[in-house]
């Protein structure tokens, strides 16, 4: 204790003065140390902020680009989900889907006749509540919304599907495969659907004729009488597909097979892949629909007491389709005007095809001529 007092006294004279001198010196040193530490911390903070801002500017650009792309995708899917949810049958998430482009979306054209068939059909008008019309362009979408409440404009991925699209043309093929791709996305969203071409007239509720145990059901250009026979010739314009892992796989397999068969339409490719052993391994239940109920101009439904739908297939040209579909609906009106007992006893038959039959025969003759020219050219080349 004395040692401490002695040291203090000898370092500064009197006791009070020594203590004050010691305290003041140490206080200055402490201030300098605090300022040095503070400046170091401030420097490090400035450096961190600089590096952070430099990195975040790069990250922000990348993040904003990613977020923008995801937002567009989410918006696309959420809008489609909203349309499907509103239109679906609440008990089983099923919708009816058709596609429409500008050529068929004009007053008095095929789309108008399509909608009219639901109103003229036998207990079919309620099905319009579940019909979703997929449009290929803005003008068509506007026309659709003026006529119907459930319309959705799909992304065409750079293709132009406006105007009349001729069968098996490059634009036709792109449209058909884009349709297959889109319908696959509907299955992935958990919705069952009946896809119908717009040139199919709905005259009775088709759900009563579908097979309950089937995953995939499709109409036929020609039906051989056996719904399980894979050798039936299907028509992709009318199909009922339930959403499950098997059908999602099938639609993806179908779409991807287009690369193996370039220049082929979806219907022709389906004819190729339907015999693939992978389909049987997946235990897919496929049924082919009878033309007695799901007929067309290729093979008409002969009994008006049974028919559910009639398709303007085996027909070339919009005008020919419109002409014959108008006649078909007039035939149906006459049938529906009969008393119930007379309907059962009636021998009424269709007055069609007329223009379609002629146009299809001409098209077949032209194809045969072209095939003959090609064969002759090959012979001459050889």
């Amino acid at each position: 204790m004395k040692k401490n007092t002695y040291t203090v006294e000898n370092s500064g004279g009197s006791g009070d003065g020594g203590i004050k001198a010691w305290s003041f010196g140490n206080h200055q040193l402490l201030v300098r140390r605090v300022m040095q530490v503070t400046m170091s911390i401030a420097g490090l903070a400035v450096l961190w902020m600089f590096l952070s801002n430099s990195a975040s500017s790069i990250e922000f650009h990348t993040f904003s680009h990613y977020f923008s792309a995801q937002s567009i995708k989410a918006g696309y899917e959420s809008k489609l989900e909203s349309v499907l949810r509103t239109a679906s049958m609440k008990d089983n998430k099923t919708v009816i889907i058709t596609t429409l482009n500008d050529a068929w979306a004009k007053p008095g054209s095929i789309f108008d006749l399509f909608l009219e068939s639901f109103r003229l059909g036998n207990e079919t008008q309620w099905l319009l509540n579940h019909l979703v019309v997929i449009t290929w362009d803005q003008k068509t979408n506007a026309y659709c919304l003026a006529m119907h409440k459930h319309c959705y404009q799909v992304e065409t991925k750079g293709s132009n599907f406006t105007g009349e699209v001729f069968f098996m043309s490059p634009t036709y093929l792109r449209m058909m495969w884009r349709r297959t791709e889109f319908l696959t996305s509907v299955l992935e969203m958990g919705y069952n659907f009946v896809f119908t071409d717009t040139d199919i007239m709905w005259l009775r509720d088709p759900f009563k004729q579908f097979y309950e145990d089937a995953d995939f059901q499709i109409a036929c250009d020609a039906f051989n009488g056996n719904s399980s026979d894979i050798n039936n010739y299907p028509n992709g314009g009318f199909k009922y597909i339930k959403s499950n892992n098997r059908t999602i796989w099938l639609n993806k397999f179908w779409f991807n097979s287009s690369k193996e068969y370039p220049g082929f339409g979806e219907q022709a490719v389906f004819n190729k892949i339907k015999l693939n052993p992978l389909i049987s391994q997946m235990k897919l239940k496929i049924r082919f629909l009878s033309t007695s109920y799901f007929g067309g101009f290729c093979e008409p439904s002969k009994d008006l007491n049974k028919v559910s739908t009639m398709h303007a297939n085996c027909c070339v040209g919009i005008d020919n389709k419109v002409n014959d579909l108008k006649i078909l609906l007039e035939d149906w009106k006459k049938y529906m005007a009969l008393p119930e007992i007379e309907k059962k006893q009636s021998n009424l038959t269709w007055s069609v095809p007329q223009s379609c039959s002629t146009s299809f025969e001409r098209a077949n003759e032209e194809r045969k001529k072209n095939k003959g020219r090609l064969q002759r050219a090959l012979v001459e080349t050889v």
Side-chain angles (χ1 to χ4, degrees), residues 99-113 140 161-167 172 175 198-199 201 297 312-327 354-357 359-360 362:
T99 53
L100 184 66
N101 78 337
D102 178 52
W104 287 20
K106 296 175 182 177
S109 192
I110 291 175
F111 183 54
D112 289 20
L113 297 173
T140 304
F161 297 143
T162 58
E164 184 172 3
V165 179
F166 294 100
F167 182 69
Y172 172 88
M175 182 188 288
T198 319
D199 60 347
M201 301 295 101
F297 294 163
N313 52 8
C314 291
C315 185
V316 179
I318 293 176
D319 292 340
N320 294 319
K321 286 179 181 283
V322 169
N323 180 75
D324 282 15
L325 289 175
K326 284 181 177 179
I327 296 171
Q354 292 183 13
S355 300
C356 282
S357 179
S359 70
F360 191 66
R362 282 200 301 267

Side-chain angles (χ1 to χ4, degrees), residues 76 97-105 110 133-137 140 154-184 195-199 236-237 239 251 254-255 258 263-267 318 321:
Y76 169 78
I97 297 177
T98 193
T99 53
L100 184 66
N101 78 337
D102 178 52
W104 287 20
I110 291 175
V133 182
I134 304 303
T135 61
W136 297 111
D137 59 86
T140 304
V154 74
E155 288 183 325
T156 58
K157 298 188 174 182
S159 297
N160 183 0
F161 297 143
T162 58
E164 184 172 3
V165 179
F166 294 100
F167 182 69
M168 294 307 294
S169 66
T171 303
Y172 172 88
L173 292 174
R174 285 195 300 273
M175 182 188 288
M176 292 302 100
W177 287 116
R178 178 66 186 103
R179 183 178 81 181
T180 301
E181 184 180 31
F182 173 79
L183 292 176
T184 303
F195 176 80
T196 172
D197 277 346
T198 319
D199 60 347
K239 46 188 174 275
N251 259 47
W254 190 358
F255 178 77
S258 64
F264 282 67
E266 58 164 2
Q267 196 165 293
I318 293 176
K321 286 179 181 283

Side-chain angles (χ1 to χ4, degrees), residues 260-272:
E260 296 182 30
Y261 302 100
F264 282 67
E266 58 164 2
Q267 196 165 293
V269 171
F270 184 79
N271 263 326
K272 297 283 187 182

Side-chain angles (χ1 to χ4, degrees), residues 95-216:
V95 291
I96 301 165
I97 297 177
T98 193
T99 53
L100 184 66
N101 78 337
D102 178 52
W104 287 20
K106 296 175 182 177
S109 192
I110 291 175
F111 183 54
D112 289 20
L113 297 173
F114 175 69
L115 296 179
E116 186 181 359
S117 74
F118 283 87
R119 293 187 281 267
L120 294 175
N122 187 355
E123 299 180 358
T124 51
Q125 185 160 353
W126 70 277
L127 293 168
L128 285 172
N129 296 324
H130 308 293
L131 171 67
V132 176
V133 182
I134 304 303
T135 61
W136 297 111
D137 59 86
Q138 191 171 1
K139 180 182 176 183
T140 304
N141 199 60
Y143 184 82
C144 178
L145 288 169
M147 304 289 291
H148 186 64
K149 58 184 177 181
H150 304 308
C151 304
Y152 179 79
Q153 184 179 344
V154 74
E155 288 183 325
T156 58
K157 298 188 174 182
S159 297
N160 183 0
F161 297 143
T162 58
E164 184 172 3
V165 179
F166 294 100
F167 182 69
M168 294 307 294
S169 66
T171 303
Y172 172 88
L173 292 174
R174 285 195 300 273
M175 182 188 288
M176 292 302 100
W177 287 116
R178 178 66 186 103
R179 183 178 81 181
T180 301
E181 184 180 31
F182 173 79
L183 292 176
T184 303
S185 71
V186 174
L187 292 175
E188 289 179 312
M189 295 170 76
Y191 288 90
N192 314 311
F193 64 79
V194 177
F195 176 80
T196 172
D197 277 346
T198 319
D199 60 347
I200 293 178
M201 301 295 101
W202 284 55
L203 306 173
R204 281 191 179 86
D205 181 354
F207 288 92
K208 296 177 181 178
Q209 304 302 330
F210 291 145
Y211 298 92
E212 291 185 6
D213 64 339
D215 298 308
F216 181 99

